[in-house]
């Protein structure tokens, strides 16, 4: 009977040790998972930065032939081209300043829910800035085109007009695609951090 109790206590002790080892492994697994989650979110935030900072630069470079064609060949006022570039540069500067403001929180250290709230606030503010610069850009383009269109003959060169329209549509589509992709990245970061 004592042998049975001794054997039972030995088995219980082995089970406790096994549970301790399993608990330790489980705790380490949580840390690895949390660390991986933070690394993935950092990578996503770097992709967002790349899109929001270099995306407008690529759009500006793509707009150079369009602006040259419209100003040189069709008499678009140069101030319209300059204002478009100023608004794009303003967007880049505002995004950089906003990112710098939240840089400390985007180290993804501390409570995950607080980080998610910070990313949500950052998304809200950048959305407002994007809408503001988009409205300003549309107003500048509308003013420029309203001053330009009465002086232009649409039958001058249909190929160039088609090229100009295609470039405008391409630049607009690229700009909208960059904005949509960047906000989807922020949404996925918030969603993953809140789960």
């Amino acid at each position: 009977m004592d042998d049975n109790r001794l054997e039972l206590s030995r088995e219980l002790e082995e089970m406790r040790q096994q549970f301790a080892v399993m608990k330790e492994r489980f705790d380490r697994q949580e840390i690895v998972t949390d660390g991986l989650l933070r690394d993935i979110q950092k990578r996503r935030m770097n992709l967002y930065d790349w899109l929001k900072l270099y995306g407008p630069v690529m759009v500006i470079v793509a707009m150079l032939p369009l602006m040259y064609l419209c100003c040189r060949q069709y008499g678009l006022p140069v101030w319209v081209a300059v204002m478009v570039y100023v608004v794009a540069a303003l967007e880049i500067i505002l995004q950089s300043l906003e990112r710098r403001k939240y840089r400390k929180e985007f180290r993804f250290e501390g409570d995950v829910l607080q980080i998610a709230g910070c990313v949500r606030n950052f998304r809200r503010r950048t959305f407002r800035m994007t809408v503001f610069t988009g409205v300003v850009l549309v107003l500048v383009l509308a003013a420029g085109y309203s001053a330009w269109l009465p002086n232009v003959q649409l039958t001058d060169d249909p190929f160039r007009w088609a090229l100009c329209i295609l470039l405008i549509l391409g630049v607009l589509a690229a700009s909208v695609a960059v904005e949509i992709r960047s906000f989807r990245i922020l949404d996925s970061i918030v969603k993953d951090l809140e789960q």
Side-chain angles (χ1 to χ4, degrees):
M1 190 151 179
D2 285 331
D3 289 336
N4 286 342
R5 284 185 188 173
L6 186 61
E7 188 177 328
L8 186 59
S9 68
R10 197 174 316 132
E11 288 177 5
L12 285 174
E13 186 60 36
E14 285 179 23
M15 288 175 62
R16 282 189 195 121
Q17 290 173 356
Q18 289 174 356
F19 279 127
V21 169
M22 287 173 45
K23 184 179 182 307
E24 182 182 322
R25 286 182 184 171
F26 182 73
D27 288 342
R28 264 192 271 138
Q29 185 63 36
E30 274 187 8
I31 291 169
V32 169
T33 302
D34 193 38
L36 286 175
L37 177 68
R38 290 170 195 272
D39 287 344
I40 289 169
Q41 303 319 322
K42 283 180 188 177
R43 281 192 224 122
R44 284 183 179 171
M45 202 63 186
N46 290 338
L47 176 61
Y48 171 83
D49 286 344
W50 191 89
L51 281 172
K52 290 301 278 188
L53 298 179
Y54 298 117
V57 171
M58 290 187 298
V59 170
I60 287 171
V61 169
M63 284 177 16
L64 284 173
L66 168 70
M67 290 301 174
Y68 176 78
L69 180 69
C70 290
C71 291
R72 180 91 169 142
Q73 300 293 328
Y74 296 114
L76 178 71
V78 175
W79 67 266
V80 174
V82 170
M83 287 302 294
V84 166
Y85 289 118
V86 166
V87 170
L90 179 69
E91 168 84 10
I92 293 169
I93 290 168
L94 288 174
Q95 291 293 339
S96 298
L97 291 174
E98 189 68 20
R99 177 68 167 93
R100 189 173 296 159
K101 178 181 175 184
Y102 284 98
R103 187 168 300 247
K104 183 178 180 182
E105 285 85 1
F106 290 150
R107 290 184 189 149
F108 292 94
E109 296 171 354
D111 185 28
V112 178
L113 292 178
Q114 287 177 345
I115 296 169
C118 180
V119 173
R120 194 178 313 107
N121 290 338
F122 176 74
R123 184 200 181 283
R124 200 173 304 129
R125 290 177 58 96
T126 56
F127 181 76
R128 281 190 226 135
M129 279 191 294
T130 301
V131 169
F132 172 74
T133 55
V135 167
V136 169
L137 186 62
V138 167
L139 291 175
V140 166
L141 287 175
Y145 285 125
S146 67
W148 175 50
L149 283 179
N151 302 329
V152 175
Q153 296 293 327
L154 296 176
T155 58
D156 286 346
D157 190 357
F159 174 73
R160 287 188 178 165
W161 272 104
L163 178 64
C164 188
I165 290 170
L166 284 175
L167 283 172
I168 289 171
L169 292 176
V171 166
L172 288 175
S175 299
V176 169
V178 164
E179 294 299 326
I180 289 173
R181 177 70 177 135
S182 64
F183 286 115
R184 284 188 179 163
I185 289 171
L186 289 178
D187 289 339
S188 69
I189 289 172
V190 171
K191 181 181 174 186
D192 287 348
L193 288 174
E194 287 180 341
Q195 286 182 350

